[in-house]
Amino acid sequence: MKKILTIAGSDSCGGAGIQADLKAISAQGAYGMSVITAITAQNTQGVFSVEELSKEIIEGQLKAIFDDIKVDGIKVGMLSSKYIIDAVNEQLIKYKGKNIVIDPVMISKSGFNLLRPEAVEALTNLIKIADLVTPNIPEAEVLANMKIETEEDMIEAGKRIKSMGPKNVLIKGGHRMDKPTDILLTEAGEIIKYEGKRYETKNTHGTGCTLSSTIASYLGKGYSMEEAVGEGKKYISKAIENSFSIGHGVGPVGHFVELYKKAGVDYE
């Protein structure tokens, strides 16, 4: 059993953040552990407030895990303030974290700012230790300081982000209006495209969290970066295809579809 750690914020409605990460990790046959950085009050209609945890408890959670358990892969999600980013960065370096996948969460789907503007520079420092960074197009535009409209723009943005120090960069293309394509820029200098399919659903809450956690799980299981991203793409595509509504807004992607079916749940 491979042990995968997620470092992120808590989503009270269970669609994204720590809750989505643990579901995705479990669905890959790995054991999920968590370090919570912030607590959000949110539902399918939006994020309404965020309360950050202290530096001491964040460091305490990391110490408790690394002092006791071999961590095979790490997913890093919502780190809203500079002090949180710095604390996580220091501890991951101290404990020699491996298979680090950073999802640079900045803005929620409802438009709530999940990363303080003054923390962007600290985030670029954290990115240096990543094995993979997985920005969507709006996030990549901030990190690369450029507008992204075409696949060529995605590649250029990926090159700029890769120059910051991460070994690999995955630019997610779901925000483009045409066929969604994700582009991986590898440590070896390769450019690999993953063609996607657009599903007619509004229920896409937790897609970024789910993809990054799945990739971290496969890296922890010994897959190559190209293979891990490919498996992540397969899983998130199936999860979006089987997403469902739980409230009045954007519902979650489907993590345990076969288990739901086996239990006789009609979630459609």
Side-chain angles (χ1 to χ4, degrees), residues 10-12 38-43 46-52 78 110 112-114:
S10 169
D11 172 4
S12 50
I39 298 170
T40 70
Q42 67 176 295
N43 56 29
V47 179
F48 301 99
S49 62
V50 175
E51 184 164 323
E52 299 165 343
M78 176 188 169
S110 60
F112 193 97
N113 195 337
L114 298 175

Side-chain angles (χ1 to χ4, degrees), residues 38-252:
I39 298 170
T40 70
Q42 67 176 295
N43 56 29
T44 64
Q45 299 182 79
V47 179
F48 301 99
S49 62
V50 175
E51 184 164 323
E52 299 165 343
L53 298 189
S54 70
K55 179 176 184 285
E56 289 72 25
I57 192 61
I58 292 170
E59 289 178 340
Q61 292 176 83
L62 285 162
K63 184 179 189 301
I65 289 171
F66 279 103
D67 283 353
D68 181 46
I69 301 166
K70 178 178 179 288
V71 179
D72 299 297
I74 302 166
K75 174 267 172 78
V76 181
M78 176 188 169
L79 309 176
S80 51
S81 293
K82 182 181 183 301
Y83 79 87
I84 296 176
I85 296 172
D86 289 344
V88 169
N89 195 2
E90 290 167 8
Q91 295 303 307
L92 290 184
I93 291 172
K94 174 183 175 181
Y95 288 106
K96 298 180 173 61
K98 63 180 182 178
N99 295 320
I100 300 172
V101 178
I102 296 179
D103 182 18
V105 178
M106 294 183 178
I107 301 172
S108 72
K109 279 187 172 62
S110 60
F112 193 97
N113 195 337
L114 298 175
L115 178 70
R116 297 179 187 274
E118 64 271 19
V120 173
E121 184 177 347
L123 181 62
T124 61
N125 287 329
L126 176 64
I127 283 173
K128 294 176 183 177
I129 68 171
D131 290 279
L132 177 69
V133 182
T134 65
N136 59 30
I137 285 179
E139 292 160 350
E141 287 181 332
V142 173
L143 292 172
N145 192 28
M146 63 175 284
K147 185 69 176 172
I148 299 175
E149 295 178 343
T150 65
E151 283 192 9
E152 289 72 23
D153 292 338
M154 292 173 68
I155 293 170
E156 174 58 28
K159 289 178 178 177
R160 293 188 186 187
I161 296 170
K162 195 164 179 286
S163 71
M164 297 175 184
K167 293 177 181 176
N168 304 270
V169 178
L170 180 68
I171 307 292
K172 299 176 293 190
H175 283 77
R176 292 182 62 206
M177 294 308 294
D178 55 0
K179 187 176 181 181
T181 300
D182 294 355
I183 299 178
L184 174 67
L185 288 81
T186 73
E187 185 176 9
E190 296 176 287
I191 296 174
I192 301 170
K193 297 182 181 181
Y194 297 85
E195 301 293 341
K197 177 181 178 182
R198 195 171 296 281
Y199 295 95
E200 294 302 320
T201 177
K202 68 174 183 177
N203 299 320
T204 56
H205 190 44
T207 50
C209 305
T210 298
L211 176 61
S212 54
S213 295
T214 301
I215 294 171
S217 298
Y218 278 98
L219 291 175
K221 291 164 74 171
Y223 285 58
S224 70
M225 183 61 67
E226 183 178 351
E227 291 169 336
V229 173
E231 292 298 323
K233 284 290 294 178
K234 288 178 192 175
Y235 181 75
I236 190 57
S237 294
K238 184 176 181 181
I240 293 172
E241 182 182 10
N242 291 279
S243 61
F244 52 96
S245 295
I246 59 170
H248 298 92
V250 179

Side-chain angles (χ1 to χ4, degrees), residues 36 55 117 259:
I36 298 175
K55 179 176 184 285
L259 289 179

Side-chain angles (χ1 to χ4, degrees), residues 16-29:
I18 288 288
Q19 288 81 354
D21 294 338
L22 292 175
K23 292 172 189 175
I25 292 165
S26 299
Q28 314 317 317

